[in-house]
Amino acid sequence: MKITLMLKQILALLKFLKMKFINSIKSKDIFDFKESYCDENTIISSLLRNTLKNYIKPPILDVGAGIGDISYRAFDDKKVIMIDVNNISKHDYPCRPTHFRRRADFFEFESKEQIKTLLISHTLQFIDNDIEMLNEKVKEIGPENIILIINTNDGFMKEVIEWTYENFDNPNPEVKINGFPEGYNLVKSQPFTATLKCNDFETLALQIAYLMLIEIDTMMATLISFLKRKLGTPTFEINQAVEIYKKA
Ligand SMILES: C[S@@+](CC[C@H](N)C(=O)[O-])C[C@H]1O[C@@H](n2cnc3c(N)ncnc32)[C@H](O)[C@@H]1O
């Protein structure tokens, strides 16, 4: 009996350590991509702060806020609740006085006050496993507006996605989902182009693995040779859109 209990405890500890390990890798990958190699968040913040500001009503729920730099730069004077499954230290990434950070899973999130704007910036691929459940959760939160930021998956990104599907069984790139968000109408789509720029092809391959959510391991050399064949330098443009949905 005692041995079984001990084994169970060891297994639970291993599971906990594995989760911590996976989460820390994800955090590091996000930080590298956003801070060092891609300029998308600077463009997104500027669009939300200027061109699209009339669509942003507080309180805002920033789902999968990551390091929180979009809200920090775009909504400095607005109330924002930033949630993420990863623990982002407020010492490394400070919040505005009107911003609140919570470590929370979107599907478990509850708010005492009515959320008016839901921001889903490059988080859809992490929460779209069950579309019915996702639509239900959005309905429960009931925001007036949803701001969805996603890649349009054309240009070289389309080729990368095709390569990934040819070489991996279960990749999870960010794709637009028919039927989401249910009960909302698209009122504006603002296209923009970001640049992913690395110093070498190995770093670019790692960034692609992060974008496609694949374990690159033994396929690293194949991906690097694909990239070298297709690109002159370790850089390419990523077409994206800020889509604004209003409650029907
Ligand atoms: C690609 S990052 C996007 C970060 C940020 N929104 C941006 O655009 O810079 C996706 C984030 O979603 C978070 N995430 C994944 N699943 C989540 C969930 N179920 N609830 C809350 N956050 C989640 C991840 O930890 C990660 O920080």
Side-chain angles (χ1 to χ4, degrees):
M1 272 304 271
K2 262 191 177 169
I3 293 177
T4 318
L5 191 67
M6 265 177 65
L7 271 175
K8 272 190 181 162
Q9 283 172 341
I10 290 169
L11 281 175
L13 180 67
L14 285 174
K15 197 174 163 193
F16 172 75
L17 290 174
K18 188 179 167 204
M19 280 309 296
K20 275 193 87 72
F21 179 63
I22 288 170
N23 280 343
S24 71
I25 285 178
K26 276 189 188 161
S27 297
K28 189 189 173 306
D29 290 346
I30 294 162
F31 299 167
D32 285 351
F33 183 84
K34 301 280 182 183
E35 293 186 299
S36 307
Y37 306 120
C38 189
D39 60 358
E40 65 185 14
N41 282 11
T42 310
I43 302 170
I44 294 167
S45 310
S46 166
L47 286 172
L48 295 176
R49 188 185 174 85
N50 303 307
T51 325
L52 303 168
K53 66 170 185 265
N54 291 341
Y55 296 98
I56 317 290
K57 291 187 190 170
I60 301 156
L61 178 64
D62 186 348
V63 180
I67 58 178
D69 56 331
I70 292 179
S71 283
Y72 190 88
R73 281 183 274 185
F75 313 131
D76 54 345
D77 55 345
K78 295 188 169 73
K79 180 162 186 182
V80 183
I81 302 161
M82 295 187 279
I83 59 165
D84 203 290
V85 283
N86 274 318
N87 196 14
I88 314 287
S89 162
K90 63 180 173 198
H91 302 294
D92 296 333
Y93 298 98
C95 280
R96 302 274 184 193
T98 51
H99 293 186
F100 305 88
R101 229 186 241 291
R102 276 200 228 160
R103 186 179 190 179
D105 187 318
F106 175 58
F107 293 99
E108 283 157 23
F109 172 80
E110 283 176 14
S111 174
K112 286 195 189 104
E113 64 182 317
Q114 179 59 56
I115 299 294
K116 296 231 173 100
T117 305
L118 194 66
L119 172 65
I120 304 176
S121 172
H122 292 303
T123 303
L124 188 61
Q125 79 204 99
F126 298 92
I127 56 173
D128 66 356
N129 266 357
D130 183 334
I131 298 304
E132 209 175 307
M133 194 167 111
L134 178 61
N135 275 323
E136 270 307 308
K137 188 65 198 178
V138 170
K139 202 166 146 194
E140 178 196 308
I141 294 171
E144 282 176 31
N145 293 347
I146 299 174
I147 318 287
L148 182 65
I149 301 167
I150 47 169
N151 296 331
T152 40
N153 294 339
D154 50 9
F156 186 61
M157 191 59 132
K158 184 166 178 251
E159 291 188 50
V160 169
I161 291 177
E162 282 165 2
W163 179 91
T164 309
Y165 274 101
E166 275 163 26
N167 289 282
F168 285 84
D169 288 335
N170 292 307
N172 186 8
E174 183 179 73
V175 288
K176 202 171 154 68
I177 313 276
N178 286 332
F180 175 78
E182 195 179 60
Y184 286 78
N185 296 323
L186 180 67
V187 292
K188 186 165 179 69
S189 183
Q190 176 73 51
F192 70 97
T193 300
T195 305
L196 174 57
K197 189 174 182 191
C198 299
N199 290 333
D200 51 70
F201 281 99
E202 189 175 16
T203 310
L204 186 66
L206 288 173
Q207 296 311 304
I208 286 172
Y210 157 70
L211 286 171
M212 301 292 119
L213 295 182
I214 48 175
E215 295 278 345
I216 193 71
D217 296 337
T218 53
M219 288 300 286
M220 187 69 176
T222 318
L223 177 54
I224 290 174
S225 76
F226 164 77
L227 294 171
K228 283 185 173 167
R229 214 169 47 243
K230 295 282 179 176
L231 303 170
T233 55
T235 177
F236 68 92
E237 292 188 331
I238 306 177
N239 293 330
Q240 316 188 14
V242 180
E243 294 190 342
I244 314 238
Y245 294 84
K246 263 193 177 305
K247 209 180 208 170

